[in-house]
Amino acid sequence: LFAKDRRPQIKAEQPEAKVTDVAKILGEEWRGLADNSKRKYQEEAARLKEIYDQEKAKFSAGILNEKLA
């Protein structure tokens, strides 16, 4: 999520940067980010993971029900 927010700005600032270069910059920025700044991304990631887990469980249950039918 952090990378999704920052990548466009980094590419605008350094249009010649390769994907690997952008990834390195993003990693450096993330490591340098204060914990309170990381928190919003971590909380959103946890929220999205919960949604994913619920959807996956529904999907898996549907496949299991189809196999049993």
Side-chain angles (χ1 to χ4, degrees):
L1 299 170
F2 171 76
K4 181 181 175 185
D5 283 350
R6 287 287 298 138
R7 185 176 286 112
Q9 186 176 358
I10 292 170
K11 285 300 289 178
E13 293 169 356
Q14 300 181 33
E16 75 291 343
K18 297 178 184 175
V19 172
T20 53
D21 297 330
V22 173
K24 288 177 187 176
I25 293 167
L26 288 167
E28 290 169 5
E29 287 185 4
W30 178 255
R31 285 188 294 279
L33 207 57
D35 287 343
N36 60 345
S37 296
K38 289 181 181 181
R39 189 170 296 119
K40 73 176 185 175
Y41 295 107
Q42 293 166 331
E43 289 172 354
E44 180 65 3
R47 185 186 75 78
L48 291 172
K49 183 169 185 334
E50 182 64 31
I51 292 169
Y52 166 80
D53 289 342
Q54 291 171 2
E55 293 298 317
K56 182 180 175 193
K58 288 178 192 176
F59 178 77
S60 296
I63 289 181
L64 180 61
N65 288 338
E66 288 177 9
K67 288 183 180 180
L68 295 175

